[in-house]
Amino acid sequence: MSKRIAVYPGSFDPMHNGHLDIIERCRPLFDEVVVAVLRNEGKKPLFSVEERIEAIREMVGPDVRVESFSGLLVDFMDQVGARAVVRGLRAVSDFEYEFQMALMNRRLNPRVETVFMMPREDYIYLSSRLVKEVFSLGGNLTGLVPEPVLARLRRRLRPQDPVVPA
Ligand code: PNS
């Protein structure tokens, strides 16, 4: 039987505990999980793709692959032999965007299925944009952001620095 490989794609600028929770939840369901960081210079990220990949690798351990991709997600999935896309669904507000992407990806490649997973309740309001904003305004992120990301935020942003839009 072929390996069940899932891709967990996103911007992850930066990764927070809600993302890590989804990774932990999908690991037992698949033989391999590939975290795929989108290369999208147009988004003006706070962290480079390389910085994000380095931080994610520190957090997820060696049995989760972490790669970057550009172009279509379905093409990247073909390259790594994955059929499942994993996406976290936090609230009804996420639904429309996720529904559109899932159906477009299925249209582009009918073998691709999107698996939605709900994060722990504590994280349903968490987003990378809010992490950057709260940090830059001196707010407390304890329990919301893993230490490797906090360390990088401290190096990159001082409280009161303006936030780079997500
Ligand atoms: O965490 P994000 O920024 O919401 O992730 C969005 C992502 C990376 C999953 C999405 O933008 C994507 O898959 N981009 C790749 C380009 C693509 O395949 N577009 C068509 C999919 S509908």
Side-chain angles (χ1 to χ4, degrees):
M1 220 173 81
S2 57
K3 269 174 96 178
R4 291 173 191 271
I5 303 174
V7 168
Y8 180 39
S11 304
F12 306 119
D13 184 39
M15 184 167 274
H16 52 65
N17 283 355
H19 296 128
L20 285 176
D21 182 73
I22 297 292
I23 294 171
E24 285 310 309
R25 283 173 201 282
C26 68
R27 269 161 73 159
L29 305 181
F30 297 97
D31 298 316
E32 188 171 8
V33 173
V34 183
V35 175
V37 181
L38 177 67
R39 270 187 196 280
N40 182 357
E41 303 311 330
K43 265 196 166 181
K44 290 211 191 325
L46 178 62
F47 295 106
S48 70
V49 170
E50 285 65 32
E51 287 171 309
R52 281 177 268 163
I53 288 179
E54 185 189 68
I56 297 169
R57 286 196 177 131
E58 282 175 33
M59 299 182 286
V60 295
D63 57 330
V64 174
R65 260 168 77 184
V66 187
E67 308 217 349
S68 66
F69 78 105
S70 49
L72 286 176
L73 177 62
V74 291
D75 291 342
F76 175 76
M77 292 178 67
D78 264 351
Q79 282 167 32
V80 298
R83 284 191 63 182
V85 185
V86 170
R87 292 286 289 172
L89 206 52
R90 291 166 299 188
V92 180
S93 50
D94 280 343
F95 182 75
E96 193 164 341
Y97 169 60
E98 295 296 337
F99 186 70
Q100 283 177 351
M101 278 203 300
L103 292 184
M104 180 56 83
N105 282 330
R106 186 194 280 167
R107 164 94 197 215
L108 293 169
N109 181 348
R111 281 171 47 83
V112 163
E113 289 295 346
T114 302
V115 177
F116 291 111
M117 305 193 72
M118 275 167 279
R120 200 168 113 180
E121 303 86 281
D122 314 39
Y123 304 140
I124 52 178
Y125 56 88
L126 197 54
S127 70
S128 299
R129 185 184 62 78
L130 279 183
V131 163
K132 288 178 277 194
E133 183 173 318
V134 169
F135 184 87
S136 73
L137 296 172
N140 184 356
L141 288 171
T142 306
L144 300 177
V145 174
E147 188 50 43
V149 169
L150 266 184
R152 284 167 175 82
L153 282 168
R154 284 190 205 105
R155 287 203 293 265
R156 180 58 48 86
L157 283 179
R158 280 162 299 133
Q160 311 308 330
D161 274 354
V163 185
V164 180

